[in-house]
Coordinates of all heavy atoms in Angstrom, one line a residue:
G1 N 0.8 -1.2 0.0 CA 0.0 0.0 0.0 C 0.8 1.3 0.0 O 0.3 2.3 0.5
K2 N 2.0 1.3 -0.6 CA 2.8 2.5 -0.6 C 2.2 3.6 -1.4 O 2.2 4.7 -0.9 CB 4.2 2.2 -1.2 CG 5.1 1.3 -0.4 CD 6.5 1.2 -1.0 CE 6.4 0.5 -2.4 NZ 5.9 -0.9 -2.3
S3 N 1.7 3.3 -2.6 CA 1.1 4.4 -3.4 C -0.2 4.9 -2.7 O -0.4 6.1 -2.7 CB 0.8 3.9 -4.8 OG 1.9 3.5 -5.5
T4 N -1.0 4.0 -2.2 CA -2.2 4.5 -1.5 C -1.9 5.3 -0.3 O -2.4 6.4 -0.1 CB -3.0 3.2 -1.0 OG1 -3.4 2.5 -2.1 CG2 -4.2 3.7 -0.2
F5 N -0.9 4.9 0.5 CA -0.5 5.7 1.7 C 0.1 7.0 1.3 O -0.2 8.0 1.9 CB 0.6 4.9 2.5 CG 1.1 5.6 3.7 CD1 0.3 5.7 4.8 CD2 2.3 6.3 3.6 CE1 0.8 6.5 5.9 CE2 2.8 7.0 4.7 CZ 2.1 7.1 5.9
T6 N 1.0 7.0 0.2 CA 1.6 8.3 -0.2 C 0.5 9.3 -0.6 O 0.6 10.4 -0.3 CB 2.5 8.0 -1.4 OG1 3.5 7.1 -1.1 CG2 3.2 9.3 -1.9
A7 N -0.5 8.8 -1.4 CA -1.5 9.7 -1.9 C -2.4 10.2 -0.7 O -2.6 11.4 -0.6 CB -2.5 9.0 -2.8
Q8 N -2.7 9.4 0.2 CA -3.6 9.8 1.3 C -2.8 10.7 2.3 O -3.3 11.6 2.9 CB -4.2 8.6 2.1 CG -5.1 7.7 1.2 CD -6.2 8.6 0.5 OE1 -6.8 9.5 1.1 NE2 -6.5 8.2 -0.8
L9 N -1.5 10.4 2.5 CA -0.7 11.3 3.3 C -0.6 12.6 2.6 O -0.6 13.7 3.3 CB 0.7 10.6 3.4 CG 1.8 11.5 4.2 CD1 1.4 11.7 5.6 CD2 3.1 10.8 4.2
A10 N -0.4 12.7 1.3 CA -0.3 13.9 0.6 C -1.6 14.7 0.7 O -1.6 16.0 1.0 CB 0.0 13.7 -0.9
F11 N -2.7 14.1 0.5 CA -4.0 14.7 0.7 C -4.1 15.4 2.1 O -4.6 16.5 2.3 CB -5.2 13.8 0.5 CG -5.5 13.5 -0.9 CD1 -5.7 12.2 -1.4 CD2 -5.8 14.5 -1.8 CE1 -6.0 11.9 -2.7 CE2 -6.1 14.3 -3.2 CZ -6.2 13.0 -3.6
A12 N -3.8 14.6 3.1 CA -3.9 15.1 4.5 C -3.0 16.2 4.8 O -3.4 17.2 5.4 CB -3.6 13.9 5.5
L13 N -1.7 16.1 4.4 CA -0.7 17.2 4.6 C -1.1 18.5 3.9 O -0.8 19.6 4.4 CB 0.7 16.7 4.2 CG 1.4 15.7 5.1 CD1 2.7 15.2 4.5 CD2 1.7 16.3 6.5
S14 N -1.7 18.3 2.7 CA -2.0 19.5 1.9 C -3.1 20.3 2.5 O -3.4 21.4 2.0 CB -2.3 19.1 0.4 OG -3.6 18.4 0.4
Q15 N -3.8 19.8 3.5 CA -4.8 20.7 4.2 C -4.2 21.9 4.8 O -4.8 22.9 5.0 CB -5.6 19.8 5.2 CG -6.3 18.7 4.6 CD -7.4 19.1 3.6 OE1 -8.2 20.0 3.9 NE2 -7.4 18.5 2.4
T16 N -2.9 21.7 5.3 CA -2.3 22.8 6.0 C -0.9 23.1 5.5 O -0.2 24.0 6.0 CB -2.2 22.5 7.5 OG1 -1.5 21.2 7.7 CG2 -3.5 22.4 8.2
H17 N -0.4 22.4 4.5 CA 0.9 22.6 3.9 C 0.9 22.6 2.4 O 0.0 22.1 1.8 CB 1.9 21.5 4.4 CG 2.0 21.3 5.9 ND1 2.7 22.2 6.7 CD2 1.4 20.4 6.7 CE1 2.6 21.8 7.9 NE2 1.8 20.7 8.0
E18 N 2.0 23.1 1.8 CA 2.2 23.0 0.4 C 2.9 21.7 0.1 O 4.0 21.4 0.7 CB 3.0 24.1 -0.2 CG 2.4 25.5 0.0 CD 1.1 25.7 -0.8 OE1 1.1 25.1 -1.9 OE2 0.2 26.3 -0.4
V19 N 2.4 20.8 -0.7 CA 2.9 19.4 -0.9 C 3.1 19.1 -2.3 O 2.2 19.4 -3.2 CB 1.9 18.4 -0.3 CG1 2.5 17.0 -0.4 CG2 1.7 18.7 1.2
G20 N 4.2 18.5 -2.7 CA 4.5 18.0 -4.0 C 4.8 16.5 -3.9 O 5.3 16.0 -2.9
V21 N 4.3 15.7 -4.9 CA 4.5 14.3 -4.9 C 5.3 13.9 -6.1 O 4.9 14.3 -7.2 CB 3.2 13.5 -4.8 CG1 3.4 12.0 -4.8 CG2 2.4 13.9 -3.6
V22 N 6.3 13.1 -6.0 CA 7.1 12.6 -7.1 C 6.9 11.1 -7.2 O 7.3 10.3 -6.3 CB 8.6 12.9 -7.0 CG1 9.4 12.6 -8.2 CG2 8.8 14.4 -6.6
D23 N 6.3 10.6 -8.3 CA 6.0 9.2 -8.5 C 7.2 8.6 -9.2 O 7.4 8.7 -10.4 CB 4.8 9.1 -9.3 CG 4.3 7.6 -9.5 OD1 5.0 6.7 -9.0 OD2 3.3 7.4 -10.1
I24 N 8.1 7.9 -8.4 CA 9.3 7.3 -9.1 C 9.1 5.8 -9.2 O 10.0 5.1 -9.5 CB 10.6 7.6 -8.3 CG1 10.6 7.0 -6.9 CG2 10.8 9.1 -8.3 CD1 12.0 7.1 -6.2
D25 N 7.8 5.3 -9.1 CA 7.5 3.9 -9.4 C 7.3 3.9 -11.0 O 6.1 3.9 -11.4 CB 6.2 3.5 -8.7 CG 6.0 2.0 -8.8 OD1 6.7 1.4 -9.7 OD2 5.1 1.5 -8.1
V26 N 8.4 3.9 -11.7 CA 8.4 4.2 -13.1 C 7.5 3.1 -13.9 O 6.8 3.5 -14.8 CB 9.8 4.2 -13.7 CG1 9.8 4.4 -15.2 CG2 10.6 5.4 -13.0
C27 N 7.6 1.9 -13.5 CA 6.9 0.8 -14.2 C 5.5 0.6 -13.7 O 4.7 -0.1 -14.4 CB 7.7 -0.5 -14.1 SG 9.3 -0.4 -15.0
G28 N 5.1 1.2 -12.6 CA 3.8 1.1 -12.1 C 3.2 2.4 -11.6 O 2.9 2.5 -10.4
P29 N 3.1 3.4 -12.4 CA 2.7 4.7 -12.0 C 1.2 4.8 -11.7 O 0.4 5.2 -12.6 CB 3.1 5.6 -13.2 CG 3.0 4.7 -14.4 CD 3.3 3.3 -13.9
S30 N 0.8 4.5 -10.5 CA -0.6 4.5 -10.2 C -1.1 5.8 -9.5 O -2.4 6.0 -9.4 CB -1.0 3.3 -9.3 OG -0.1 3.4 -8.1
L31 N -0.2 6.7 -9.2 CA -0.7 7.9 -8.4 C -1.6 8.8 -9.2 O -2.5 9.4 -8.7 CB 0.5 8.7 -7.9 CG 1.2 8.1 -6.7 CD1 2.4 9.0 -6.3 CD2 0.2 8.0 -5.5

């Protein structure tokens, strides 16, 4: 669940912070 966790962590942090996400799962880019 890395991608799911990354996305949900990003959504949560972005409520009060500026957030950028880099998807380096090159062969499985699900974000």
Side-chain angles (χ1 to χ4, degrees):
K2 289 185 300 300
S3 296
T4 297
F5 177 79
T6 301
Q8 298 307 321
L9 176 62
F11 279 130
L13 286 171
S14 68
Q15 298 299 311
T16 53
H17 303 281
E18 298 294 325
V19 181
V21 182
V22 188
D23 186 358
I24 65 170
D25 191 348
V26 177
C27 294
S30 55
L31 282 182

